Amino acid sequence: MDIKRILILGGGTAGWLAANHLGKALEHRQDVTITLVESPDIPIIGVGEGTVPAIRQSLKRFGISESEFIRRCDVTFKQSIKFVNWMDKDRHGAGNFYHHLFDMPSPLGEDLTQHWLDNTNTAYGDMVSPQHKVCEAGRAPKRITHSEYEGALGYAYHLNAAKFAKLLADNAIRRFNVEHIMANVQEVTLRENGEIASLETDCRGSIGADFFIDCSGFESLLIDKTLKVPFVDKSHQLFADKAIAVQVPIDENEAIPPYTLATAHQAGWIWDIALTHRRGVGFVYSSKYMDDDTALNKLSRYLGQDVAKYQYRVLPMKLGYRREFLHKNCLSLGLAQGFLEPLEATSILLTDFAAGFVANRMPKDSEALALLADQFNQVMIYAWERVVEFIKMHYCLSDRSDSSFWVDNRDPETIPCELSTRLKLWQNHSPIRQDFFSKFEVFDLENYLYVLYGMHYSTAPQVAAKERREAWQTQARQIASVGEHLMKELPEHRELLEKIAVYGLQKC
C-alpha cells in the first residue's frame, strides 16, 4: 500500500514539530497530504519550556525567522543549566553549583580535563570554557549584529510552550499546506491486519489515512490504547515521579538569567526558567520520599510566597518509554512515546530528533515502512537508554546524604549497567571521544565532561610531559582572557532581547 495520506493526532509542540519536519521533507511530493487533528478541549501541558541547541537547526530548516520566533514566543536565551546544591552542603558549601554549558569545552585544541584534575580549586566549566563567565555575568550569547541562529557562543532557548506551538502551526499551515482539523476523536477503526484505518470524530466524521502519528500526550490514544504497545518502566532507576508546576510574574526591568536554574532539594530538584514577563517554576520530587503537602510547602518556601495564590498543577510523571515507537502504521512522538523527568530538557530533544529521523526517511509504501520500523526502533531504544543513564548520573554522583532519596540513588542496583561500566572506566582516565561510538548519542562527550567534573568526579590524574602541561596552562589562560573579553563585549541579556523586539536580527 502506498503512503500518501499522513495524519497527526494531537497538536502542541510534538504534533506541530512533526508537521513541520514532514512538511519540509515532503514538500517536493505533491501526491502526499498531511493532516493534523487536534482536540479543541485538551490544553497543552507546556511544562517543559527549555530546549537544547539542536532546535536552532530545526527552526532554521523550517524557514522560521529567529527574530519572529523570539518576539512571538516570549523567548529568552539559554546557554547552560546551572545546577545548585547537587552536592553535599557541608563538604562543598551552601549554594554549591556548576554549569552544564552549551559551548564546547576546551575550544582551543588541548583537552584541559587533565589540567583541571591537577587544579580542582577552579570550577571545571570556568577553566575549560569562556561561557561560564558570560553566564555568571548575565550576558547574552550574541550581539544584535549577529545573523539569525548564529552567535558568539552556543545557545538554545526558553520559550512559552503554547505560543511556540501556535508559531509552529502557523508555519506548517502556511508554508507546507498542512491541513488543520479541530475535532475530538470518539473511536479508532482498525483494518483486518491490525493497522489503523481511520479516526471517527465528533464533527468531521471519519478521517482515514495511510500513516498515523500519535502526539496525543500521556493519553497515548493510538500507540497505547489502540495498538497496545507495552511500556518500559524506568521508575526503578529514576525516582522523581511528580512535579508541581507554577508560573509567577517578574518585573519587566528584572535581570534575566541566561540559563535554566536547577536547584536540588531533599527529594528531587526545582526548575526555574525566566521568560520576558514570567518565571516557569517546577518542583520535581519522588512521591516515595515526599508527600504532596510537604512538596507544596517547600515550593512556597523557594518562591518566598504562598504558591496557592497562583494557579498551579500537580503532574504525575510515568517514567519510561514504549517498547516500540513505530508499530504497524503508527509512529508515537512526544509524551505518547515516553517521558523522563524534565532534567536536561530531554522531551523536546527526543521529539525533535525522532520526528526529523522519520521525516527524512519517510517511506513511500508499507513494505518500506516495515524496514524503517526495525531500524528506527533500534535507534530510539538506544537513544532513550542513553538519556536514562545521563539523567541518572546527576543523582548517583551526588554525595548528598541528607535524605534516603539521595542515598538510595547511589545504590548500585538502581544504576544502569552501561553507566556503571563507564563510571568505572572513567576512574582511570577521563572520557574521550571514542567512548561515545554511536552516531545516535543524544548526550555526547562534552555533556558528560561538564556534569562529571562539575560534580567533582574522581579520575586519577595522568602523568604528562612538561611541554604538554605548559600548553595546558597557556590555553587555560587564553580561555580566561576570552571570557573576560566576552563579558565586556556581549550585551546584557534583557538588553539584547529588547533590541531584537525593536530591530530584529540580521537575516542569514
Side-chain angles (χ1 to χ4, degrees):
M1 181 183 70
D2 290 341
I3 298 175
K4 295 185 177 181
R5 299 173 300 162
I6 299 173
L7 192 152
I8 303 167
L9 175 60
T13 301
W16 289 112
L17 272 175
N20 278 276
H21 272 295
L22 286 164
K24 177 62 180 177
L26 302 175
E27 61 183 339
H28 63 287
R29 288 189 57 184
Q30 302 301 315
D31 60 331
V32 175
T33 62
I34 303 170
T35 301
L36 187 145
V37 177
E38 182 176 14
S39 170
D41 304 322
I42 302 176
I44 295 171
I45 289 182
V47 171
E49 296 184 313
T51 59
V52 296
I55 196 68
R56 287 159 55 195
Q57 284 69 50
S58 293
L59 295 177
K60 184 176 180 180
R61 186 167 180 265
F62 300 159
I64 294 175
S65 159
E66 187 177 31
S67 300
E68 180 188 10
F69 164 56
I70 291 171
R71 289 165 172 162
R72 285 186 55 178
C73 301
D74 305 334
V75 169
T76 58
F77 290 107
K78 174 184 175 183
Q79 300 181 67
S80 160
I81 303 172
K82 182 176 180 178
F83 291 92
V84 178
N85 288 338
W86 284 73
M87 302 299 287
D88 185 87
K89 295 179 183 179
D90 292 335
R91 297 181 187 179
H92 306 278
N96 61 81
F97 75 89
Y98 69 94
H99 280 280
H100 176 188
L101 301 167
F102 286 168
D103 230 32
M104 295 291 289
S106 306
L108 301 180
E110 289 283 345
D111 179 2
L112 297 182
T113 300
Q114 285 297 327
H115 184 53
W116 179 81
L117 289 169
D118 293 334
N119 302 271
T120 55
N121 56 321
T122 301
Y124 178 78
D126 196 16
M127 178 178 286
V128 303
S129 173
Q131 194 167 40
H132 182 280
K133 287 186 171 63
V134 171
C135 285
E136 285 298 289
R139 300 293 173 175
K142 62 192 295 178
R143 299 179 295 274
I144 191 69
T145 52
H146 273 108
S147 298
E148 291 192 335
Y149 299 113
E150 301 296 330
L153 297 165
Y155 66 90
Y157 312 99
H158 299 131
L159 50 85
N160 181 311
K163 291 183 178 181
F164 184 48
K166 180 65 167 62
L167 174 69
L168 291 173
D170 291 346
N171 192 73
I173 293 166
R174 174 178 54 85
R175 194 180 297 272
F176 304 126
N177 298 312
V178 173
E179 181 184 10
H180 185 202
I181 295 175
M182 300 295 287
N184 289 303
V185 176
Q186 298 178 317
E187 186 181 352
V188 181
T189 304
L190 298 179
R191 301 189 180 102
E192 288 185 2
N193 63 0
E195 291 184 347
I196 300 172
S198 64
L199 306 182
E200 308 301 319
T201 66
D202 56 354
C203 59
R204 292 294 294 267
S206 179
I207 307 174
D210 307 312
F211 184 66
F212 293 80
I213 302 178
D214 188 352
C215 298
S216 62
F218 286 129
E219 185 181 9
S220 304
L221 181 60
L222 303 183
I223 201 72
D224 178 21
K225 290 185 171 59
T226 301
L227 297 179
K228 311 297 184 184
V229 174
F231 187 79
V232 179
D233 189 283
K234 287 293 174 178
S235 60
H236 60 294
Q237 295 173 333
L238 302 176
F239 303 158
D241 60 355
K242 273 194 169 183
I244 304 172
V246 65
Q247 297 174 0
V248 297
I250 60 173
D251 188 278
E252 292 190 3
N253 296 317
E254 189 176 330
I256 302 173
Y259 48 76
T260 296
L261 193 60
T263 304
H265 63 75
Q266 183 181 355
W269 62 283
I270 304 167
W271 80 73
D272 196 336
I273 292 174
L275 302 183
T276 50
H277 302 293
R278 66 167 170 82
R279 290 159 61 200
V281 181
F283 191 91
V284 180
Y285 61 106
S286 170
S287 60
K288 178 181 177 182
Y289 299 89
M290 183 177 288
D291 60 56
D292 293 349
D293 289 340
T294 302
L296 278 168
N297 289 334
K298 287 187 175 293
L299 178 56
S300 294
R301 191 180 309 161
Y302 176 85
L303 292 173
Q305 52 188 315
D306 187 358
V307 71
K309 67 188 287 188
Y310 302 105
Q311 286 189 329
Y312 66 87
R313 292 176 293 168
V314 179
L315 304 168
M317 298 186 294
K318 186 178 180 182
L319 306 176
Y321 56 83
R322 295 290 151 197
R323 192 175 300 279
E324 292 180 87
F325 309 97
L326 180 49
H327 180 71
K328 294 188 181 294
N329 64 337
C330 179
L331 166 69
S332 60
L333 289 177
L335 300 178
Q337 185 178 90
F339 184 75
L340 304 174
E341 58 156 285
L343 194 69
E344 297 284 0
T346 57
S347 184
I348 291 180
L349 169 61
L350 286 166
T351 300
D352 188 42
F353 172 76
F357 187 101
V358 172
N360 293 326
R361 297 162 179 79
M362 190 63 210
K364 294 185 178 181
D365 55 45
S366 22
E367 183 179 351
L369 177 62
L371 293 174
L372 175 65
D374 288 339
Q375 181 193 32
F376 178 73
N377 287 329
Q378 289 180 34
V379 167
M380 291 308 300
I381 287 173
Y382 182 89
W384 275 87
E385 285 293 333
R386 300 295 82 75
V387 171
V388 170
E389 292 164 9
F390 189 64
I391 293 176
K392 179 65 175 183
M393 187 174 73
H394 294 68
Y395 292 104
C396 71
L397 290 187
S398 174
D399 59 358
R400 286 184 63 146
S401 55
D402 54 314
S403 72
S404 298
F405 172 83
W406 292 100
V407 173
D408 291 350
N409 259 298
R410 294 193 289 273
D411 182 347
E413 293 297 317
T414 73
I415 301 174
C417 292
E418 180 67 22
L419 174 60
S420 181
T421 300
R422 284 180 167 182
L423 290 175
K424 290 175 182 176
L425 181 68
W426 295 332
Q427 289 176 350
N428 298 311
H429 71 76
S430 58
I432 56 176
R433 185 66 61 188
Q434 289 79 358
D435 293 338
F436 304 88
F437 56 85
S438 171
K439 295 179 181 179
F440 303 108
E441 299 286 352
V442 179
F443 293 103
D444 218 326
L445 171 63
E446 57 273 14
N447 310 108
Y448 276 84
L449 287 173
Y450 281 127
V451 175
L452 275 171
Y453 299 115
M455 300 191 76
H456 302 275
Y457 190 69
S458 180
T459 298
Q462 302 295 310
V463 177
K466 178 182 178 181
E467 294 77 11
R468 190 81 185 278
R469 294 185 179 278
E470 289 175 349
W472 293 342
Q473 292 173 354
T474 298
Q475 292 203 3
R477 287 194 294 268
Q478 291 172 333
I479 287 172
S481 177
V482 172
E484 295 291 341
H485 174 72
L486 289 175
M487 281 172 55
K488 298 173 183 177
E489 179 188 272
L490 291 170
E492 190 271 333
H493 190 192
R494 184 180 283 278
E495 175 191 344
L496 176 62
L497 294 170
E498 290 174 349
K499 285 185 177 180
I500 293 172
V502 176
Y503 304 109
L505 294 161
Q506 295 190 43
K507 299 296 181 182
C508 299

